[in-house]
Amino acid sequence: MEKEEKQDIMRHSMSHVLAKAVGLLFKDVKYSIGPAISDGFYYDFDISVSITPEDFDKIDQKMREIINANQDFVRKEISRAEAIKLFNDQPYKLELIKELPEDEVITIYYLGDDWFDLCRGPHIENTKMLRGFAFKLNRVSGAYFKGDEKNKMLQRVYVYGFDDKQKLKGHLFMIEEAKKRDHRKIGPELDLFMLHETAPGMPYWLPNGLKVFNILVDFWRQEHKKRGYEEFSAPQLNSSELWKTSGHWEHYKEDMFIVKELDGTEYALKPMSCPSAINIYQRKLRSYKELPLRFSDIDVLHRNEKSGQLNGLFRVRMFRQDDSHNFIAENQIKSEIKDILEITERFYSIFGLEYTLTLSTRPESFLGEIEVWNKAEDELKHVLDEVCGKGKYNINEGDGAFYGPKIDIHMKDCLGRRWQMGTIQLDFQLPLRFDLTYTDNESNKKVPIIVHRVVYGSLERFIGILIEHFAGEFPFWLSPVQVGIVPVMENHNKYAKKVCDELEKSGIRCEINTKDTGMGKKVNEFRTQKMPYTLILGDKEAAEKSVSIKIRGGKQINDIKLKDFIKACKQMNDKKSLQLCEQF
């Protein structure tokens, strides 16, 4: 048995220990479900009183009593009638039983002689095997039964759980570190973005945040222009007829914002840009000489995410995405995918972000013929075998888009968290649905293939991840304001203005603090803004055309020539350096 599988079995067993402990401590407990999750386990309860963090100590103590009592986990197969009788006072279990297929083998697991639960298992044999298991009650949150907002809200008790104390200790450290880096806290503090109740899931980009956003977009434009990408912009609102042709109306309608005219005509705010790119492709006859034809955009998209799933910049309803839809011939698949993977390496490496590639294959609900799907999947496998090596990439069966298989890009941040960001999707279906063609070198009509691809993914989500990855301390080239300028006294303001002008001429973003609050307070204001460099300018600096530099993190360097400082800043901008220069 794999170590991770064993740990999951222990976590699942611990969820039963948690459920039994809660049942012993509270009256009239109605049980729902209790699975293992990536960092522990949880259990959902319906109880007349609220479980609070003040209850955690007694729940923890009762769980340890159960573990130390050496209680057996015993599996028992029962009939459907027996199950209904056993759980006649447990409405959530009864509903789960009724949903089971007629030929399903129904099992319960006893924990000791006095408590049992509906469960497929597996479990450990005895609670004594859990004595070395490290756990800590985490939090209580609301959760709808089966995730359906129409059902009753239950109380979900989360517990961290690992098979040894060091893993738990390391995880708790990472949790605390993640709290310090939380973009929902740092972002507003640094005036990057804000959220407002009148537009849930739709961030406001504040001036500093829009600077970061535009820096990323400018870099994106520069890099893609070199590679023959053509940027466009398209309408936000499109008739339902467009989405019906594309298949989104059938497969994606409930995630779209629908608008109805008085005459009943339906429109939808676009959740993705592929039909827009297709409309541009169709505006004239196309030749094989034009392919690959790469239409990129960074338009606003809207997706009707559930309110309970919204999460800062990570899960939003309005966002921008660095989309491109590349129209290619069949013999260009390999070279086009390899080119996109080269762009991916360029974009992720400058942020120090590791990433892995995953092939996602045909889902249950798909368009087109299986033979075409098999061909598309084989093409992507050949590319990944060459780029990564055979067996050195992941395969996620059944997670492809409804129109084609894809390569998903998962990146890893400094806390070890993995994020689904970019994606490269091979599409043989939409060209057929839209009757797309081009003429080959013999004037025959051919159907192009569309490669849907994003590298950043959602810009909102990407920036949220960068905020947490860097804890708000952006690399110099990405910082909204790169240099803070502090004149020591009012009579130094003139030199400060001259320094600012010289920096701005060299493309360096700077800001002067001329408040009458004393030098220390002005320096501290820039420190709290996580400014890469703060220049302190007094008599000596003005006389010698130099600067004294306070480097983010605390180090100070005096008597540096302004021209040398500017030269170092320009080099960091040009090289997209991750580290701040400390030698001038």
Side-chain angles (χ1 to χ4, degrees):
M1 182 185 296
E2 294 290 336
K3 194 171 184 181
E4 286 300 314
E5 183 182 356
K6 182 179 179 182
Q7 182 170 250
D8 281 346
I9 291 172
M10 295 177 79
R11 285 171 171 166
H12 188 193
S13 301
M14 283 295 297
S15 75
H16 282 223
V17 173
L18 167 64
K20 181 172 182 177
V22 169
L24 292 171
L25 292 168
F26 297 88
K27 294 181 179 179
D28 300 322
V29 177
K30 301 295 186 291
Y31 301 97
S32 177
I33 59 170
I37 54 177
S38 61
D39 61 356
F41 53 94
Y42 68 77
Y43 208 105
D44 290 346
F45 303 99
D46 184 355
I47 312 175
S48 58
V49 298
S50 295
I51 298 176
T52 68
E54 286 70 35
D55 297 313
F56 285 0
D57 283 345
K58 65 181 181 182
I59 295 174
D60 180 285
Q61 183 179 347
K62 186 60 69 175
M63 290 174 70
R64 295 184 192 279
E65 288 176 8
I66 293 168
I67 290 168
N68 291 330
N70 298 344
Q71 297 185 6
D72 289 329
F73 281 90
V74 179
R75 180 179 183 273
K76 183 179 179 182
E77 293 185 11
I78 58 175
S79 67
R80 186 175 296 270
E82 288 175 307
I84 291 171
K85 184 176 180 181
L86 278 173
F87 293 100
N88 67 338
D89 61 343
Q90 294 292 329
Y92 305 105
K93 299 295 182 183
L94 287 176
E95 186 165 341
L96 293 173
I97 291 167
K98 290 175 183 176
E99 291 176 350
L100 294 174
E102 285 298 323
D103 59 350
E104 180 85 6
V105 176
I106 299 176
T107 58
I108 61 172
Y109 273 84
Y110 278 88
L111 176 53
D113 299 326
D114 56 346
W115 191 88
F116 56 86
D117 199 1
L118 180 73
C119 186
R120 288 191 179 94
H123 287 285
I124 58 171
E125 295 176 2
N126 187 284
T127 56
K128 65 184 178 183
M129 299 170 68
L130 296 171
R131 288 183 184 175
F133 191 86
F135 67 94
K136 181 180 175 62
L137 276 86
N138 173 15
R139 70 187 189 279
V140 182
S141 68
Y144 293 107
F145 178 54
K146 296 192 294 187
D148 189 338
E149 293 178 358
K150 296 176 183 177
N151 291 333
K152 186 173 182 180
M153 177 78 76
L154 307 179
Q155 297 184 65
R156 177 170 293 177
V157 180
Y158 284 96
V159 184
Y160 296 129
F162 293 86
D163 53 15
D164 69 57
K165 291 181 180 179
Q166 287 305 312
K167 285 184 182 178
L168 176 62
K169 185 178 179 181
H171 185 71
L172 293 176
F173 172 80
M174 297 301 280
I175 293 295
E176 289 305 310
E177 189 65 21
K179 288 178 182 177
K180 295 176 190 175
R181 295 169 177 265
D182 192 334
H183 76 283
R184 295 168 298 184
K185 176 176 178 291
I186 293 176
E189 287 176 352
L190 297 182
D191 290 329
L192 299 174
F193 71 91
M194 61 172 272
L195 295 165
H196 197 274
E197 60 187 10
T198 57
M202 301 183 186
Y204 284 72
W205 285 108
L206 303 176
N208 276 350
L210 194 58
K211 288 176 185 175
V212 175
F213 185 97
N214 286 334
I215 292 164
L216 290 173
V217 172
D218 287 345
F219 174 66
W220 174 81
R221 285 191 171 120
Q222 291 164 11
E223 292 295 318
H224 284 77
K225 185 179 180 181
K226 295 175 190 175
R227 296 169 169 87
Y229 284 73
E230 300 179 77
E231 188 178 355
F232 72 92
S233 183
Q236 286 292 303
L237 201 62
N238 290 280
S239 163
S240 62
E241 293 306 311
L242 180 67
W243 304 111
K244 287 173 183 175
T245 303
S246 69
H248 289 96
W249 201 255
E250 176 185 356
H251 294 268
Y252 208 80
K253 181 180 178 182
E254 54 186 46
D255 294 309
M256 299 165 74
F257 285 100
I258 309 298
V259 179
K260 277 190 178 183
E261 287 193 319
L262 293 177
D263 64 1
T265 304
E266 290 184 304
Y267 292 81
L269 285 171
K270 65 178 180 183
M272 58 274 297
S273 294
C274 25
S276 300
I278 288 171
N279 280 345
I280 292 173
Y281 181 92
Q282 283 184 312
R283 64 185 286 268
K284 61 182 182 179
L285 297 174
R286 300 291 180 180
S287 162
Y288 74 97
K289 294 178 181 179
E290 295 178 83
L291 306 184
L293 190 56
R294 305 176 179 108
F295 290 135
S296 63
D297 75 282
I298 204 152
D299 280 352
V300 174
L301 302 176
H302 290 83
R303 294 181 185 174
N304 193 10
E305 303 284 358
K306 293 180 180 179
S307 58
Q309 295 177 330
L310 300 178
N311 179 16
L313 297 178
F314 290 164
R315 196 70 176 264
V316 293
R317 287 174 169 165
M318 182 189 78
F319 61 100
R320 284 84 163 172
Q321 187 165 273
D322 65 318
D323 258 325
S324 185
H325 295 86
N326 303 357
F327 298 82
I328 64 173
E330 189 173 328
N331 63 359
Q332 296 171 330
I333 291 174
K334 183 177 178 180
S335 60
E336 190 68 13
I337 299 298
K338 288 181 74 174
D339 285 347
I340 295 169
L341 291 176
E342 286 177 10
I343 297 173
T344 299
E345 172 61 24
R346 168 68 172 146
F347 272 61
Y348 285 18
S349 62
I350 61 168
F351 301 106
L353 295 165
E354 299 177 19
Y355 67 93
T356 56
L357 303 176
T358 298
L359 173 62
S360 296
T361 60
R362 185 179 67 249
E364 288 186 13
S365 177
F366 65 93
L367 294 178
E369 301 297 323
I370 288 180
E371 292 77 11
V372 177
W373 273 85
N374 291 339
K375 182 179 181 182
E377 289 176 9
D378 285 343
E379 292 281 5
L380 293 184
K381 284 178 183 175
H382 288 320
V383 174
L384 288 173
D385 285 345
E386 186 170 325
V387 171
C388 304
K390 287 189 177 182
K392 293 185 178 179
Y393 55 89
N394 301 315
I395 298 181
N396 192 0
E397 298 288 355
D399 199 46
F402 66 84
Y403 47 72
K406 58 181 180 172
I407 296 172
D408 288 325
I409 305 164
H410 295 87
M411 70 181 186
K412 184 179 178 182
D413 67 13
C414 65
L415 296 178
R417 299 173 300 183
R418 295 194 176 275
W419 303 91
Q420 159 72 62
M421 293 305 298
T423 187
I424 306 166
Q425 303 175 355
L426 199 56
D427 182 1
F428 288 79
Q429 306 303 328
L430 289 185
L432 294 172
R433 292 176 73 91
F434 280 91
D435 195 25
L436 302 186
T437 61
Y438 68 92
T439 55
D440 66 11
N441 59 349
E442 295 178 349
S443 299
N444 297 316
K445 282 191 175 183
K446 296 283 187 178
V447 179
I449 297 163
I450 300 177
V451 179
H452 308 245
R453 46 120 293 181
V454 294
V455 180
Y456 288 138
S458 157
L459 265 292
E460 279 71 7
R461 191 179 192 196
F462 193 82
I463 293 173
I465 290 169
L466 290 182
I467 292 171
E468 299 197 0
H469 182 69
F470 294 115
E473 297 185 351
F474 292 116
F476 182 81
W477 70 276
L478 191 57
S479 296
V481 182
Q482 298 170 305
V483 180
I485 302 172
V486 175
V488 176
M489 303 289 288
E490 187 177 349
N491 61 310
H492 302 125
N493 287 353
K494 184 177 179 180
Y495 179 58
K497 177 67 168 61
K498 182 179 179 181
V499 169
C500 184
D501 289 344
E502 290 296 317
L503 290 170
E504 288 181 342
K505 283 178 187 176
S506 299
I508 300 160
R509 298 179 294 279
C510 57
E511 183 179 302
I512 306 175
N513 188 332
T514 57
K515 295 177 184 176
D516 188 19
T517 56
M519 186 188 77
K521 286 189 176 180
K522 289 189 283 188
V523 170
N524 190 56
E525 280 189 34
F526 284 133
R527 182 189 64 80
T528 58
Q529 293 172 33
K530 302 183 185 293
M531 199 74 66
Y533 296 109
T534 300
L535 304 185
I536 302 168
L537 309 178
D539 289 336
K540 186 176 182 182
E541 288 79 14
E544 298 177 357
K545 294 185 179 179
S546 66
V547 293
S548 290
I549 308 166
K550 189 86 170 176
I551 301 173
R552 185 171 60 200
K555 184 176 180 180
Q556 182 162 329
I557 303 174
N558 300 321
D559 305 324
I560 302 299
K561 292 295 183 184
L562 176 60
K563 63 181 180 62
D564 293 333
F565 176 70
I566 290 175
K567 181 180 178 182
C569 289
K570 290 174 71 175
Q571 287 177 344
M572 284 186 287
N573 275 341
D574 292 342
K575 294 180 180 178
K576 304 290 187 288
S577 304
L578 282 174
Q579 303 300 321
L580 292 179
C581 176
E582 296 188 4
Q583 302 292 327
F584 301 96

